[in-house]
Amino acid sequence: MPGSESYQAADSIVASNTAVNSGASLNLSAGRQIILKPGFADSLGSSMDAKIDPGLVGKATEGVSSLTGSNPWQVSVMSYDNEGRVSDKWIWTGNHREWDTHITYAYNWQSQVIQTGVSVDGQTLYQFYDYNQLGQLTAVYISTTTTKPGTAEVTYMYNPTGSVASVNYRGGKGESYAYNIRDWIKTINNVNSTSNFGASYTYQKNGNISDAEYMN
């Protein structure tokens, strides 16, 4: 990008596949957030300015928690690993430093997320993910340390078509799914049961639901 350019947005600006050439300048102003993604480059000798201007938002509290008061803005910054995958994400909101959030990601060789860590106000929650040989998610674990627990919080089973057959939660609760020959979901649990949520669906020939029954 040669010369000087300026952009404004009432809500968000996402910049990617943009190169600010030496001697050029770029000014970005957004009401709530500015995101710089892979492909954005700011060359030596160039000038780049990014700022959050709440005055650009149509209404001061539109889409923003009133707890942010006179600072209804949010900035997200991400870093990437050598494979182009997000490795870290930082989120800052208004003048509330206790809301600062740092999210970390770890991947397997198939680029599936196997661990995340979410840190807010000095506390971190970790989640771990298992997959089967088909790349389907099979289990999710939760911990406040970097050690993966021995017991999963939720596990998933699949039928031969790849649709979810059952979801089981730690503590005994769970859901089972049945499908018709077109692999459209037919039932969730037993609609006549009073212990878990249940649902039953019938369909028209075009795939639209003609009847639905629920029990909660």
Side-chain angles (χ1 to χ4, degrees):
M1 186 201 82
S4 177
E5 294 188 21
S6 297
Y7 297 91
Q8 288 186 338
D11 187 279
S12 305
I13 290 178
V14 178
S16 62
N17 299 320
T18 301
V20 184
N21 298 339
S22 178
S25 64
L26 175 64
N27 297 288
L28 304 177
S29 298
R32 278 199 278 268
Q33 64 176 354
I34 296 173
I35 300 175
L36 304 180
K37 302 188 74 174
F40 179 88
D42 193 13
S43 303
L44 180 66
S46 65
S47 172
M48 190 271 187
D49 180 64
K51 66 178 181 180
I52 301 301
D53 182 0
L56 294 174
V57 180
K59 295 182 180 179
T61 58
E62 182 179 354
V64 181
S65 169
S66 60
L67 293 176
T68 59
S70 60
N71 268 308
W73 59 264
Q74 187 174 84
V75 174
S76 299
V77 177
M78 288 167 279
S79 65
Y80 299 82
D81 62 19
N82 293 333
E83 301 295 329
R85 304 170 300 198
V86 175
S87 58
D88 292 86
K89 180 177 182 180
W90 294 267
I91 304 172
W92 297 283
T93 303
N95 59 4
H96 291 272
R97 296 286 63 80
E98 72 276 13
W99 292 2
D100 288 356
T101 303
H102 179 207
I103 307 172
T104 60
Y105 302 86
Y107 302 86
N108 61 19
W109 65 274
Q110 293 178 307
S111 291
Q112 296 168 315
V113 175
I114 57 173
Q115 180 180 327
T116 61
V118 181
S119 300
V120 180
D121 199 24
Q123 301 184 63
T124 303
L125 181 68
Y126 297 94
Q127 294 193 56
F128 306 84
Y129 307 90
D130 285 347
Y131 303 86
N132 61 24
Q133 293 180 338
L134 296 178
Q136 299 163 324
L137 179 67
T138 57
V140 178
Y141 306 78
I142 297 177
S143 176
T144 55
T145 72
T146 56
T147 301
K148 181 180 176 180
T151 303
E153 294 294 323
V154 57
T155 58
Y156 302 86
M157 298 290 291
Y158 300 85
N159 63 26
T161 67
S163 298
V164 175
S166 64
V167 180
N168 296 292
Y169 302 95
R170 185 175 182 179
K173 289 289 185 178
E175 303 162 359
S176 60
Y177 300 85
Y179 303 82
N180 63 20
I181 196 171
R182 294 184 176 180
D183 213 26
W184 299 342
I185 190 164
K186 187 168 62 175
T187 60
I188 302 175
N189 293 330
N190 183 349
V191 74
N192 296 314
S193 172
T194 58
S195 59
N196 285 327
F197 168 81
S200 175
Y201 305 93
T202 56
Y203 298 86
Q204 300 173 0
K205 292 182 179 180
N206 62 4
N208 292 333
I209 294 175
S210 60
D211 185 67
E213 184 179 1
Y214 302 97
M215 174 63 71
N216 194 358

